[in-house]
Amino acid sequence: MNKVTVAFSIYLAWAVLFTFYKLPSGSPLTAPSYSFPLGTYINGSNMINVNARAILDTMLFGLMVSWIEVGLGLSYGVIAGSSCGKARSLMMRISDSVTSLPRVPLLMAVIILFSTPEITFIRANFFLTALVVGLTGWSSMSRQISEAVCRENPLTKIEEIEFTQRVYTSFRTVKSITKRYVIPSIVDGIAVYTALGVIAGVGDPNFPTLTTLLNSSRLFSYWWLFLPPAGFRALLLILIFLVSDYVVK
């Protein structure tokens, strides 16, 4: 385990600890002090606890999106790459059509179907939002996987070998490259959710992410409501990218 993974583990361990270990609350919007190093939130909760919970919810959202994107992209790409012919060309046209769609406007059009507009934000179910984000992010990955499979699969041109066996061999071929997509997909989920939050205020109060905290801070001029969440979010993404670089080496 290198220094990057140790740092990331410590970061997540800190978030887990202060998500479940509740520090004393205080008056709403109390400025940072010795008793409250990061101040208090709108409801008086200690901002250390609030930020820790937001870190875990942010990671959870990214993980759910990654599972969906990688699962769909890998399956679709392997099946298309295994055929490596007219079927693959047709499947890639479908995949490219999904990629060409303006993602954030499309997501907003879908999210509005199950969300509830509030005064300052759009209340959208956390899990349904992760689902629709994941369902719109797999297509680019599927093309890259299909190209790798079609190029590297030694059984692609052998018609007498059953299709199921070609697919099985293809899964073995792309196993080594799958890890290249898992962590970037986590970042993709976090980034898209941030865009939805910044543009339209999409969020779920029951699962407050770091983006949710940044959105709520727009109603107030207290710096401790937005600077710590912004810092924690930047640190989270930096650590994820560093871990990704280490994993794909």
Side-chain angles (χ1 to χ4, degrees):
M1 184 178 293
N2 70 344
K3 295 180 180 179
V4 172
T5 54
V6 170
F8 188 57
S9 299
I10 293 174
Y11 181 83
L12 290 183
W14 177 89
V16 171
L17 172 63
F18 286 105
T19 295
F20 295 100
Y21 177 73
K22 299 299 181 181
L23 295 173
S25 300
S27 301
L29 300 174
T30 300
S33 62
Y34 179 79
S35 300
F36 304 101
L38 295 181
T40 63
Y41 194 48
I42 301 169
N43 59 1
S45 298
N46 197 303
M47 280 295 287
I48 293 178
N49 294 130
V50 173
N51 281 282
R53 167 70 187 278
I55 290 171
L56 292 189
D57 286 342
T58 302
M59 275 298 300
L60 176 61
F61 189 91
L63 285 170
M64 289 191 297
V65 171
S66 178
W67 294 335
I68 297 170
E69 288 186 355
V70 174
L72 289 176
L74 178 62
S75 301
Y76 195 90
V78 166
I79 294 174
S82 296
S83 59
C84 204
K86 292 182 179 180
R88 174 180 177 271
S89 297
L90 175 60
M91 292 179 70
M92 286 303 98
R93 295 294 81 78
I94 297 174
S95 175
D96 291 341
S97 66
V98 175
T99 304
S100 65
L101 294 173
R103 192 176 182 189
V104 172
L106 173 63
L107 285 169
M108 284 306 309
V110 175
I111 289 173
I112 201 68
L113 297 176
F114 60 83
S115 63
T116 303
E118 302 286 350
I119 298 177
T120 58
F121 74 102
I122 296 178
R123 183 192 297 267
N125 183 273
F126 183 79
F127 299 99
L128 287 178
T129 304
L131 176 62
V132 296
V133 170
L135 290 176
T136 58
W138 58 271
S139 53
S140 177
M141 182 193 315
S142 69
R143 167 167 282 281
Q144 298 176 46
I145 292 176
S146 73
E147 291 174 352
V149 172
C150 185
R151 182 178 63 252
E152 298 177 19
N153 184 4
L155 300 179
T156 297
K157 304 295 183 180
I158 305 177
E159 296 297 335
E160 61 270 18
I161 294 188
E162 294 181 359
F163 176 75
T164 53
Q165 186 174 348
R166 296 204 303 271
V167 171
Y168 174 73
T169 303
S170 300
F171 268 111
R172 294 181 59 187
T173 301
V174 300
K175 183 178 180 180
S176 61
I177 66 173
T178 301
K179 62 183 181 181
R180 296 179 180 271
Y181 299 99
V182 174
I183 297 180
S185 292
I186 295 175
V187 177
D188 177 65
I190 295 173
V192 172
Y193 199 44
T194 298
L196 293 172
V198 171
I199 294 173
V202 174
D204 188 342
N206 296 319
F207 293 88
T209 65
L210 293 170
T211 300
T212 307
L213 298 186
L214 291 175
N215 287 335
S216 63
S217 68
R218 292 184 298 183
L219 301 174
F220 305 92
S221 59
Y222 303 105
W223 62 266
W224 62 89
L225 293 183
F226 60 86
L227 279 185
F232 282 124
R233 182 182 180 278
L235 181 58
L236 175 63
L237 293 178
I238 290 172
L239 289 173
I240 290 176
F241 277 121
L242 290 176
V243 170
S244 178
D245 291 339
Y246 173 72
V247 168
V248 299
K249 285 182 179 178

